[in-house]
Each structure stands twice: as C-alpha cells, then as structure tokens.
Amino acid sequence: MHKKLEAFLTDRIRNSGPVDLSDFIDLSLTHPQFGYYRHRDPLGCAGDFTTAPEVSQLFGEMVAVWIIDLWIQMDRPAFNLIEFGPGRATLMSDIQRVGRGFQGFTDATHIRFIEVSETLKIQQKEKLQGSQISWHDDLPSIPTDQPAIIIGNEFLDVLSIEQLKRTEKGWLKCAVNQDKNHRYVYDWVKADDGLQGYLPNHTVSNVVYEISPARFNFIDECAQFLKQSGGAALFIDYGHVRSHFGDTFQAIRKHQFVDPLEEAGLCDLTSHVDFEPLRAAIHELDLKSPECVTQGAFLNALGLSQRIGALQEYANKMKAEGQVEKADKFLSDLESSSHRLTAADQMGDLFKVMCFYAGYDVKPVGFDA
Ligand code: SAH
C-alpha cells in the first residue's frame, strides 16, 4: 500500500473506526497528495491497464461517427464536447481527425476536459495543441448556453461503490479495518438506512450487492446539465445492463489482478458498472435513454467492418508499392485489435454502451430508440 495512504488510514481507523469501502476507494484513487490517479499515466504496456482507444484507432473513429451523426441531426450547432477522464487524449484526437473530414465540425467544437491527473493533463495539452480546448474541475463550471455532447470511456468504473449484504443482523456494509496485528482486513458493519434506497426491489440474503451513490450522483449531474443545455451523453464501460448481486471489486497493477488491501494507492481500483439504476434515474428526469448495447454491437452498427475494409485496401496499396513488411504488420495489428474490441470473449460483450439525450428529437446511431 502507498505509505502515505497507509498512515492516513491507520489514523482514520484509530480516530473514527472502520473506513467505508467508498471512502477507501476515493482516498486511494483521488486523494490530492497520494491518490493513484493524481500524478501518473496508468495506461499502456508500461502502465497498469490498456483501454479501447489505446488498443486501436478504430474505437475512436466509430465514436467520432456517432458524435458527428448526432451533431448533424442537431443541425450542426456550435457545441461543447465534454470528456470525463480523457486519459492520453487518444480518443479525442481520433475524433478530431475524423471530424476534420466534415465541414464545419472542427470550428463548431469546443473541447472541455474534466481530468484529475496532472500528468495526463500535460499529455492532453501536447496531443491536442492548437485546438479550441479548456480544462474544468467539474461539470457545473461549464456553461450551459450551448448544447453539449458528453463522453466518457472507462470513467464510470472508477467512481466508488459500497458493498452491502443482508444477514440475520440486518443490512451490513463492507468497510476497511485493521486487525490486532495492524493488518488491513474487510469488516462488515451496520449499513446506514439511506443506502438501502439504492438496492434492487428484490434481494437475496447473504450475498454481496454493489451500489454506487457516486455513479448515481454523477449521472444525475450529467442529466440535469443536458436538460439545461440540450444534447447527449455516451458512456462506455464494463458492466451489466440488469442489476444482480455479486462482488466485482477489483484492483489492477501492471496488467494483473492484485489485492486491493495490499496495493491501494499503487493500483487501479474499479468495479463493474450496473447500468440499470443509472438509466432508471435518467428516465425519472424525463430524458431519453434507449436500452444499452454491447461494445461489439455498437462498433459494428457504426460501420466498423466498412472502416476495416478501407484500411485493408490502404494496406494492400502499400504492399503493391513494395512496403510488404510494413503492410503485413499493419494488417495483422488491424485484425487482432478489431478482434480485441469486438469479440464476445474479449471486450465485445463485457463492455456496454449507454446513451441519453435531451432537448433534441434525435435518433442516436447504434441504439434502438
Ligand atoms: N478515457 C481514457 C482513460 C480511462 S482511465 C481511455 O479510455 O483511455 C480513467 C481516466 O479518468 C484517467 O484519465 C483518470 O486520470 C481519470 N480520472 C479518474 N478519476 C477521476 C475523477 N474523479 N475526475 C476526473 N477524472 C478522473
């Protein structure tokens, strides 16, 4: 565990008892001094995990098609393109490249990033030099006088959860505590009544339910924002479209699963996103949110195979011009990365795509309205 986080937790447990799982996650990931995300680039082979935009340009290109199509349906307004947790800005630069092929798109777009990592902010600035772009601490600091399209890939999964369990002693929640030997352990303590409102209507005893007030508040904030500004949101993440029980809390370091209690502050802590209550909250606010789709289905609906066809043609031209080795490498990378993005046993089924929109009578591509 990160030494400063360890000292902080020891002190906190001594003074006020076991630490809620959600606090443990928030402190580990985003504490200003020692939070995992604050001062590092966690992405890529040399980092801890790889995301879809880092796997292939195909991902960002399909997201670009989704955004541009929507922008055309909205009648090509000047708009804010807001991204949460943009990482290395790879997704945004792929969107920009596609956007340059559509007259008026680049000039109409004001990019706004919400990013907690100082290290990644520097990379984002370098990558998108010359663009109309600004950084914000949160959504309320962005004006609503223009429509907005909000996106986030692998952002919802970093927002914290609580784990709850119904036992003969009532509802208990998971907390982090220390045993006699000062080792960190999970402890089940009485759950505050307020948390039960986040649970599904029918529950079973003695199994773990994960709830996320943080994701709920975040999505509520996005929905309220879009109600004022008009526009749409697209979130892509691993998770399920129907609520069910099960422990999905995980820690990843250097592309391996590790023990969260051992490595907190030095690893990514995430959990699967339960999209069902998030969409229910969106509907309560009278926004439209069609059923989520899998990442594989989404990318295919946006024309992935046509794009692969065009890139293959480009590689074949390279071959004809004598660049055989380069073209073969390009073709094999193309095949393996598209497989990784869409195959059911890779990212294709596990990752889901959620969209919601307000103020425009649009039909987002890839979803059944
Ligand atoms: N979207 C990128 C990166 C995903 S990793 C991609 O797909 O490659 C999660 C991203 O969210 C990182 O950029 C991380 O620094 C950022 N992040 C984590 N917690 C955050 C928070 N509370 N607010 C804003 N950004 C956050």
Side-chain angles (χ1 to χ4, degrees):
M1 195 182 285
H2 192 296
K3 290 285 166 249
K4 285 189 183 157
L5 172 63
E6 197 165 353
F8 188 95
L9 284 176
T10 305
D11 216 41
R12 181 82 176 263
I13 291 168
R14 195 180 302 133
N15 290 327
S16 43
V19 175
D20 284 354
L21 187 62
S22 60
D23 284 343
F24 173 72
I25 296 170
D26 287 338
L27 288 166
S28 307
L29 294 182
T30 56
H31 187 281
Q33 270 110 49
F34 48 75
Y36 169 78
Y37 275 116
R38 285 285 174 178
H39 304 283
R40 78 177 73 220
D41 174 1
L43 293 153
C45 295
D48 294 320
F49 57 93
T50 302
T51 57
E54 301 298 327
V55 168
S56 166
Q57 68 185 72
L58 292 166
F59 180 81
E61 288 171 351
M62 295 304 111
V63 172
V65 172
W66 188 86
I67 292 171
I68 295 161
D69 175 79
L70 203 73
W71 172 72
I72 293 172
Q73 291 189 54
M74 287 159 71
D75 238 357
R76 303 169 194 252
F79 77 110
N80 290 315
L81 180 52
I82 304 168
E83 183 174 1
F84 280 90
R88 292 176 170 173
T90 307
L91 173 59
M92 192 56 82
S93 75
D94 288 337
I95 294 169
Q96 281 190 314
R97 192 181 58 256
V98 177
R100 282 195 282 273
F102 289 81
Q103 210 197 353
F105 182 79
T106 306
D107 288 343
T109 311
H110 188 139
I111 297 167
R112 298 185 187 266
F113 279 163
I114 297 170
E115 171 58 69
V116 85
S117 158
E118 291 307 322
T119 311
L120 289 174
K121 272 187 201 168
I122 294 168
Q123 289 197 34
Q124 292 157 12
K125 278 186 189 137
E126 279 170 9
K127 192 132 179 192
L128 301 185
Q129 256 174 36
S131 310
Q132 205 185 166
I133 179 163
S134 37
W135 281 260
H136 297 261
D137 290 336
D138 52 21
L139 200 54
S141 62
I142 298 179
T144 50
D145 57 350
Q146 286 189 338
I149 297 181
I150 304 175
I151 57 173
N153 184 60
E154 289 210 33
F155 177 76
L156 294 174
D157 66 82
V158 306
L159 300 179
S160 62
I161 53 161
E162 302 287 4
Q163 291 189 333
L164 301 184
K165 195 157 73 171
R166 181 154 55 89
T167 69
E168 65 279 8
K169 291 187 204 139
W171 280 97
L172 304 181
K173 67 178 173 185
C174 180
V176 173
N177 207 350
Q178 274 181 315
D179 67 10
K180 301 196 286 293
N181 302 318
H182 301 286
R183 273 191 314 241
Y184 289 100
V185 288
Y186 294 118
D187 199 1
W188 289 89
V189 302
K190 192 175 168 343
D192 354 338
D193 292 341
L195 293 179
Q196 290 168 35
Y198 293 94
L199 286 159
N201 288 338
H202 300 287
T203 52
V204 190
S205 300
N206 296 312
V207 296
V208 171
Y209 284 91
E210 291 181 342
I211 57 163
S212 179
R215 283 178 198 142
F216 200 84
N217 292 340
F218 171 73
I219 287 296
D220 183 72
E221 196 171 271
C222 291
Q224 301 278 9
F225 184 93
L226 288 178
K227 262 187 119 161
Q228 283 185 38
S229 68
L234 186 78
F235 287 100
I236 304 157
D237 229 304
Y238 37 88
H240 34 270
V241 296
R242 293 284 169 268
S243 302
H244 56 72
F245 56 79
D247 173 6
T248 72
F249 182 45
Q250 63 185 31
I252 304 251
R253 189 175 185 192
K254 301 208 183 312
H255 305 270
Q256 308 281 338
F257 290 109
V258 293
D259 181 348
L261 297 184
E262 295 270 324
E263 312 257 349
L266 304 168
C267 63
D268 194 19
L269 296 180
T270 70
S271 53
H272 287 198
V273 176
D274 180 6
F275 286 100
E276 185 171 356
L278 302 182
R279 282 185 58 241
I282 293 162
H283 288 149
E284 287 266 304
L285 289 170
D286 277 339
L287 277 81
K288 298 232 167 64
S289 179
E291 184 63 277
C292 294
V293 293
T294 64
Q295 174 170 302
F298 178 74
L299 297 177
N300 285 325
L302 278 144
L304 189 77
S305 56
Q306 287 88 329
R307 179 64 181 144
I308 293 172
L311 290 169
Q312 280 167 336
E313 218 167 275
Y314 164 78
N316 287 333
K317 261 193 210 140
M318 265 164 51
K319 250 186 179 169
E321 286 161 10
Q323 294 177 280
V324 177
E325 226 173 279
K326 197 170 162 198
D328 281 342
K329 163 125 187 27
F330 182 82
L331 285 167
S332 89
D333 285 353
L334 191 64
E335 193 183 317
S336 62
S337 58
S338 63
H339 179 76
R340 185 150 171 211
L341 291 177
T342 56
D345 61 346
Q346 302 279 312
M347 300 173 89
D349 271 6
L350 176 61
F351 282 73
K352 311 293 187 301
V353 189
M354 174 175 76
C355 98
F356 49 97
Y357 53 99
Y360 287 88
D361 190 17
V362 286
K363 191 174 177 326
V365 202
F367 296 89
D368 286 331

